[in-house]
Amino acid sequence: MQRVELSPQLSSLLKAAKRLASECEIEVVFLLADIPYDFLEIKKSLGKLRLVVSSDKPDVQRAAQEDGIALVPLIHEPQTRQVQISQAILEAIADEFLASGERIIALYAGFEREYADSLSIVSLADHLAKLTSRDLQRLETKVPLQTLRTVVDLAVEIGREGREGKPVGALFVVGNHRKVLSLSHEQVHDPFKGYSQKDRVVSNPRVKESMKELAQIDGAFIISSEGIAQSAGRILNASAEGLTLSKGLGARHWAAAAISKSTGAIAIAVSESTGTVRIFQDGYVVLRIEPMSSAMKWFDFDTEPPQTE
Ligand SMILES: Nc1ncnc2c1ncn2[C@@H]1O[C@H](COP(=O)(O)OP(=O)(O)OP(=O)(O)O)[C@@H](O)[C@H]1O
């Protein structure tokens, strides 16, 4: 297919990217392309650096594929460059073209319409952490962002740290707590019973520490929108009928999906086996945070729900 020749400006930017990469010990150039360049030529000019190309243009995607370059196809949406780059980075991490702890050089058209004119150094770990809170904001309609962040932070800590050297799983249901309580039952005597409201504020470091300890008991934590722990060790009874979830996720994750669907609450599950934190809304995984990084995907692969006895 026809390719657009490298302009003197792009050649200079590639040289600058190479120098920058060597000075900052970076190994990847991430090119957000709007034009079907000769990508092999670009790769050659970058020497040992890895090249990842991302584009929402079908002809650019075809060109990159023909040249055997790592490609992250984007869906065309009227987005700002920043949002496009963020989406492309997330996809690239999910496809394992980039590692979530890495720093990259992004090359893109920041000011011009389609000709690359900008270089940025992006630290993926910092960038992903910011994305996580932005993504949480989308769920804020149901539960205040502050409460969500507190519980998600706690969940991530439990997934990373475990307890006394052992991995620990957990399940939190946040918001609409009266309905959630009515769709659950006590498994063990409620450890929060009798405590005043101020001793059940999840953002309080002492309460957080006891919740890490309590995560070891079976069942779910139930938390109000205001961030007050209402109960722990609850078994959730909401029905999983009609829901689909990723293969390999067990009872805890089905219970999280089901309660989020039935009550409109946000459910946050920490997997005991992997430490991964998944956030459920309306029966779907809407955010996934890996224990050591913060990589995430929006939806898992679909499978059938388990048979109920
Ligand atoms: N309906 C439920 N309500 C509350 N907690 C539940 C429910 N079902 C399971 N759990 C909790 O999940 C724990 C683990 O169950 P299971 O191993 O089947 O889940 P999983 O989804 O595979 O999660 P993990 O990755 O942590 O193993 C149980 O010991 C229990 O504490």
Side-chain angles (χ1 to χ4, degrees):
M1 68 183 285
Q2 275 280 325
R3 303 306 176 86
V4 175
E5 263 183 47
L6 269 58
S7 65
Q9 173 171 311
L10 181 56
S11 298
S12 305
L13 282 166
L14 289 167
K15 268 192 215 132
K18 205 171 157 191
R19 205 175 51 241
L20 210 58
S22 134
E23 275 171 26
C24 303
E25 297 180 0
I26 291 174
E27 293 169 5
V28 195
V29 171
F30 191 80
L31 171 61
L32 194 66
D34 296 296
I35 295 176
Y37 292 117
D38 182 342
F39 291 111
L40 282 177
E41 187 67 35
I42 293 182
K43 190 161 169 47
K44 214 161 86 193
S45 69
L46 289 173
K48 282 196 198 129
L49 292 172
R50 269 156 46 218
L51 172 65
V52 180
V53 170
S54 180
S55 184
D56 61 355
K57 308 267 186 311
D59 57 336
V60 180
Q61 295 174 359
R62 250 195 340 271
Q65 267 164 340
E66 265 180 29
D67 292 350
I69 304 290
L71 169 73
V72 181
L74 280 182
I75 296 164
H76 176 74
E77 281 177 280
Q79 300 281 19
T80 63
R81 278 290 173 207
Q82 283 244 324
V83 173
Q84 267 191 340
I85 293 172
S86 296
Q87 281 176 344
I89 287 174
L90 281 178
E91 292 293 327
I93 292 170
D95 291 344
E96 297 183 3
F97 291 140
L98 300 177
S100 47
E102 173 161 62
R103 278 196 310 164
I104 62 165
I105 293 179
L107 173 53
Y108 56 97
F111 296 89
E112 301 218 27
R113 213 164 62 87
E114 48 185 19
Y115 292 100
D117 59 14
S118 306
L119 286 175
S120 299
I121 295 180
V122 187
S123 162
L124 299 191
D126 294 350
H127 189 64
L128 288 172
K130 277 191 218 121
L131 275 183
T132 309
S133 43
R134 193 185 311 151
D135 289 326
L136 285 183
Q137 247 158 19
R138 291 181 186 226
L139 311 178
E140 200 185 8
T141 42
K142 303 207 168 168
V143 176
L145 182 64
Q146 194 48 47
T147 306
L148 272 179
R149 286 192 59 151
T150 306
V151 180
V152 170
D153 282 351
L154 173 59
V156 169
E157 281 173 35
I158 290 174
R160 280 191 183 147
E161 297 164 8
R163 204 72 187 156
E164 288 155 11
K166 279 199 252 114
V168 173
L171 178 52
F172 303 88
V173 189
V174 192
N176 208 359
H177 66 274
R178 288 190 188 82
K179 183 141 187 219
V180 175
L181 282 168
S182 76
L183 281 176
S184 63
H185 63 268
E186 208 172 79
Q187 164 86 345
V188 290
H189 177 68
D190 181 6
F192 286 111
K193 211 173 198 140
Y195 282 85
S196 72
Q197 186 154 311
K198 85 173 187 344
D199 291 325
R200 291 182 283 121
V201 177
V202 182
S203 57
N204 177 332
R206 268 191 309 113
V207 177
K208 233 170 141 174
E209 266 320 294
S210 6
M211 287 176 79
K212 286 185 184 174
E213 193 67 36
L214 290 171
Q216 295 172 98
I217 63 174
D218 273 353
F221 289 97
I222 297 180
I223 298 162
S224 70
S225 291
E226 295 72 36
I228 314 286
Q230 302 295 325
S231 189
R234 300 286 294 193
I235 297 299
L236 311 173
N237 320 317
S239 155
E241 214 183 303
L243 297 178
T244 51
L245 260 199
S246 205
K247 254 200 186 99
L249 294 179
R252 190 191 322 266
H253 293 84
W254 281 101
I259 199 78
S260 73
K261 176 83 185 166
S262 307
T263 63
I266 303 289
I268 298 158
V270 185
S271 166
E272 182 175 341
S273 40
T274 63
T276 303
V277 172
R278 288 182 178 79
I279 304 180
F280 293 80
Q281 183 181 32
D282 289 333
Y284 290 102
V285 176
V286 289
L287 192 62
R288 189 173 90 171
I289 305 171
E290 298 301 341
M292 297 314 292
S293 52
S294 15
M296 54 204 170
K297 266 185 178 173
W298 284 94
F299 294 101
D300 288 343
F301 301 104
D302 291 342
T303 58
E304 292 303 308
Q307 298 296 317
T308 41
E309 287 139 84

